[in-house]
Amino acid sequence: MKYQKHVFICTNQKEAPKKCCGEAHGMELVEAFKQSMKDRNLVPTMRAQRTGCLDMCAKGPAVVVYPEGVFYGNVQLSDVEEIVESHLVNNQPVERLRLEV
Amino acid sequence: MKYQKHVFICTNQKEAPKKCCGEAHGMELVEAFKQSMKDRNLVPTMRAQRTGCLDMCAKGPAVVVYPEGVFYGNVQLSDVEEIVESHLVNNQPVERLRLEV
């Protein structure tokens, strides 16, 4: 496994008024994950990156963490540290943000 | 696990002359994967989608299949059917395209 954790953050942008994750907020999330992971020396054994539509538009902003395939919804910038610390560092998914999939 | 197989295809485009996967070829691959998977009734238990840079630029076009985290390099349109049939349907990764990661 190249990455112990591989975080994909939706940055898809659909035309208004469709509900979706959105490019602007998505890229802010990507940068926040990257910075937080760098700060904890999780790079390069883990990786965060932008991705296209995760098919969770109505529940976005959406994120999925592999290899375990945990999906998160309504992810805000203020949630990034908790996901990184709890899930990526301590392997405990953040249940309050987890999507039933 | 929402998707039995989740295929991420790099569609990142860097400025020439940097070697990278490329948006045009990447999107052709995404469409080919989606069509092939539909044809085999693998949707919606499996999903293919575009993603940003997988950090395999020099070995691209790059694809990763989760949850197993198998990376493929130099993926051409003519390789899609083999990856879908061998890896997604029969769970046998295509060794000739697999990257050592």
Side-chain angles (χ1 to χ4, degrees):
Chain A
M1 191 75 67
K2 179 172 170 65
Y3 299 116
Q4 290 173 16
K5 306 283 185 199
H6 199 160
V7 182
F8 294 91
I9 299 125
C10 180
T11 59
N12 206 42
Q13 183 75 55
K14 292 185 175 178
E15 285 179 23
K18 278 190 184 166
K19 175 102 175 71
C20 81
C21 301
E23 188 172 359
H25 183 70
M27 283 311 298
E28 284 182 346
L29 284 174
V30 172
E31 293 310 316
F33 270 102
K34 282 182 185 287
Q35 189 61 54
S36 176
M37 290 160 72
K38 266 187 201 162
D39 292 345
R40 288 174 172 76
N41 294 314
L42 302 179
V43 178
T45 55
M46 299 186 186
R47 180 171 178 82
Q49 64 174 88
R50 70 184 170 89
T51 197
C53 179
L54 288 166
D55 202 20
M56 292 287 177
C57 314
K59 296 173 181 171
V63 171
V64 61
V65 181
Y66 277 106
E68 51 270 60
V70 168
F71 281 77
Y72 292 117
N74 190 27
V75 178
Q76 303 301 314
L77 277 173
S78 55
D79 299 318
V80 171
E81 290 292 314
E82 185 177 355
I83 295 172
V84 171
E85 185 63 28
S86 177
H87 189 160
L88 305 191
V89 174
N90 294 314
N91 218 26
Q92 299 293 326
V94 179
E95 297 300 334
R96 70 181 179 85
L97 297 171
R98 194 169 179 169
L99 294 174
E100 295 287 335
V101 292
Chain B
M1 192 76 68
K2 179 172 169 66
Y3 300 116
Q4 290 172 17
K5 306 282 185 197
H6 200 162
V7 182
F8 294 90
I9 299 125
C10 180
T11 61
N12 205 43
Q13 184 75 55
K14 292 186 176 179
E15 285 178 22
K18 279 189 184 167
K19 176 103 174 68
C20 80
C21 301
E23 187 172 359
H25 183 70
M27 284 310 299
E28 284 183 345
L29 284 174
V30 171
E31 294 310 317
F33 270 103
K34 282 181 183 289
Q35 189 60 55
S36 175
M37 289 160 72
K38 267 187 200 161
D39 292 346
R40 288 175 173 78
N41 295 314
L42 302 180
V43 178
T45 55
M46 299 186 186
R47 180 171 178 82
Q49 65 174 87
R50 69 184 170 89
T51 198
C53 179
L54 289 165
D55 202 21
M56 291 287 176
C57 315
K59 295 172 182 172
V63 170
V64 61
V65 182
Y66 277 106
E68 52 270 60
V70 167
F71 280 78
Y72 291 117
N74 190 27
V75 177
Q76 303 300 314
L77 277 173
S78 55
D79 298 319
V80 171
E81 290 293 314
E82 184 178 355
I83 294 172
V84 171
E85 185 63 29
S86 177
H87 188 160
L88 305 191
V89 174
N90 294 313
N91 218 25
Q92 299 292 325
V94 179
E95 297 299 335
R96 70 180 179 86
L97 297 170
R98 194 169 178 168
L99 295 175
E100 295 288 335
V101 290

